Amino acid sequence: MCGRTACTLAPDALQKACRYCCRRSGKQREPQWRGGNDGEGDKSTYYPSYNVCPQNRTPVLTQNGEERALQTMKWGLLPSWHRGDAKSFAYNMSNARLDTLQQKASFKTPLKKGQRCVILADGFFEWQNVSGQKQPYFVYFKESDVKVEKKEDGEAKHKGITPRLLTMAGLFDVWTPPDVSVMSL
C-alpha cells in the first residue's frame, strides 16, 4: 500500500497529460480544472510536489457523463456519515483493500454511489529495510516517446516525449459539517 506519492507536473502540463478522445466527436480534449472561486478552477489549490502524503491535497480526474475534469481532493477518506469535527475522526482511511472494499460502510457507500476518481501521480514510494535502515524506492513509468500524427482538421499536433502518469483508482465522499462542504479521497 502506498503511503507517499509524487506529482510534479505543472497544472497545464497535467491537463495535457490527461488528454482523452471524446467518444461523441472523436476529437482530442483536455479536462478542465473544476471548482475554485478565482476563475482558475481548482488549479489554484494544486501544488506540484515530490512528497504528497495522506492529508495533503492531490490531483484527481473525475467524470460526469462524457466530461472529465481535474480537481484536487484531500487524501484520506472522511465518510459523509461522520458527525462531529473532521479532526475527531480517528481512523486512517488513506488506502482501501480490495478484500474489504464492499464490507466496510466507509468504502461501500461511495462505491455504490459511483463516487470514483482517478488519482494522478508521477509515481509512488515504497520502503524496504536494508541493513536495518529504511530505503525508499520510487515506482514509476518510464516516459514514453509518443508521436501523434497531425489529422486533417489539425486537431492533434503533439509530438515528442510525454510524461506517463501513474494512475490509481480512488473513491471519494463529501463530508458536510454544519457550515462547509469538504471533498476527500
Side-chain angles (χ1 to χ4, degrees), residues 13-135:
L14 198 57
Q15 281 180 273
K16 286 181 176 62
C18 292
R19 283 187 182 136
Y20 64 99
C21 184
C22 180
R23 289 183 188 163
R24 212 172 347 133
S25 67
K27 293 186 177 183
Q28 288 282 318
R29 299 184 70 177
E30 289 180 9
Q32 298 302 305
W33 285 92
R34 178 186 296 163
N37 298 326
D38 56 3
E40 289 287 308
D42 226 16
K43 186 190 296 191
S44 64
T45 62
Y46 166 64
Y47 302 100
S49 175
Y50 286 97
N51 188 21
V52 180
C53 60
Q55 303 307 312
N56 288 147
R57 295 186 74 78
T58 190
V60 300
L61 188 64
T62 58
Q63 184 166 340
N64 185 5
E66 277 198 36
E67 291 298 314
R68 296 180 188 175
L70 288 165
Q71 63 187 103
T72 60
M73 290 188 191
K74 187 176 176 183
W75 181 5
L77 187 74
L78 182 59
S80 59
W81 48 260
H82 173 67
R83 301 292 174 240
D85 184 46
K87 293 180 182 178
S88 69
F89 191 71
Y91 299 103
N92 178 4
M93 297 204 170
S94 57
N95 289 306
R97 294 178 52 97
L98 181 61
D99 57 339
T100 60
L101 197 61
Q102 294 193 11
Q103 296 168 356
K104 294 186 177 183
S106 302
F107 301 125
K108 184 164 68 170
T109 303
L111 186 63
K112 283 187 175 182
K113 288 181 182 177
Q115 293 174 309
R116 296 173 292 198
C117 61
V118 177
I119 302 165
L120 305 169
D122 298 340
F124 64 90
F125 293 93
E126 283 296 328
W127 283 262
Q128 185 176 29
N129 280 327
V130 177
S131 301
Q133 292 187 336
K134 286 189 174 183
Q135 172 68 43

